[in-house]
Amino acid sequence: MSKTVRGRFAPSPSGRMHLGNVCCALLAYLAARSSGGEFILRMEDLDTGRCHPPYDRWILDDLAWLGLSWDEGPDCGGPCGPYTQSLCGELYAEAIRRLSERGLTYPCFCSRADLAAAQAPHLEDGTVRYDGRCSRLNEAARRQLAEKKRPALRLRVGAADVAFIDGLQGAQRSVLADSCGDFVLRRADGLAAYQLAVVVDDGRMGVTQVVRGRDLLASTARQLYLYRLLGYEPPAFFHIPLLVAPDGRRLSKREHDLDMGALRARFRRPEPLLGRIACLCGLIERPEPIGMEELIGLFRWDRIPQGDIIVNPERF
Ligand code: GLU
């Protein structure tokens, strides 16, 4: 018997959801529900500089207004809590301890300026490939540097070679030493890095299906390597297209006429908005109002495009 699908949506509460976030939430939800699966909501609020309290409540309210329901989440709890990353510090610390005990981590004292000056190639998601310089420091040098600066902690990637099939983007492969080098697990401010937190959470929550924006495709090999090291079973990944303006610029939270505040005011009811989004995503041919139950019945991955989706913000 196949395992129950467990899908999730993991927003960062750094602003009101915009059209791109809503597409992602909707496709993650339809993918889970159309196969009779469970759906989890998790708040990824680790970036304390960008995430602020009112937005987590707005996200819950906007998702409920759209007609999404979740079986587990920050508001209703569940067997795999906490569902808010800022409450999971001890779980991340424990995972880091397990990796460190195996000699897989080392402190890194490099500043952003050091990293930029190293002129390592930049990955498409803005990650700089780390050249491993702090792995070559001896104990005395580490002690001396630690007196002046709190280090970040990096994972040694060694010769890790990660291959996987993305459900939408097809076969992927990455030799981590070439693509990103040793990567950060804990930031210098003591917070768990996104790559570690997302794996610990998806792993411990038993998530079997991750649907998210294609901008995170490049992170997936690093995450799969962590799944392997931490002994979690990896989920299936589906990286969905990004929404771009007609000039190719990615639509972002700065486009206020496409945030949920503006969209709710304009569409007034969820069905017309769901119809527009479903049409953008290839699920229906004409942007006519549609209810969530009907959409669940229509969902199929082979209808979703791989490449960017062009949206004209003035005409949406
Ligand atoms: N919290 C991330 C974001 O809002 C998503 C992470 C993920 O889906 O893996 O961009």
Side-chain angles (χ1 to χ4, degrees), residues 8 10-12 21 42 44 194 198 202 210-212 216 223:
R8 51 75 153 174
S12 300
N21 305 125
R42 179 173 73 236
E44 299 212 326
Y194 158 69
V198 76
D202 283 335
V210 167
V211 177
R212 61 187 179 189
L216 290 167
Q223 294 170 16

Side-chain angles (χ1 to χ4, degrees), residues 245-246 249 251 255 257-258 266 276 311-316:
R249 185 175 45 88
L251 295 180
E255 239 89 28
D257 32 355
L258 290 181
R266 189 138 60 83
R276 291 301 274 265
V311 181
N312 187 339
E314 274 111 60
R315 280 202 242 130
F316 179 75

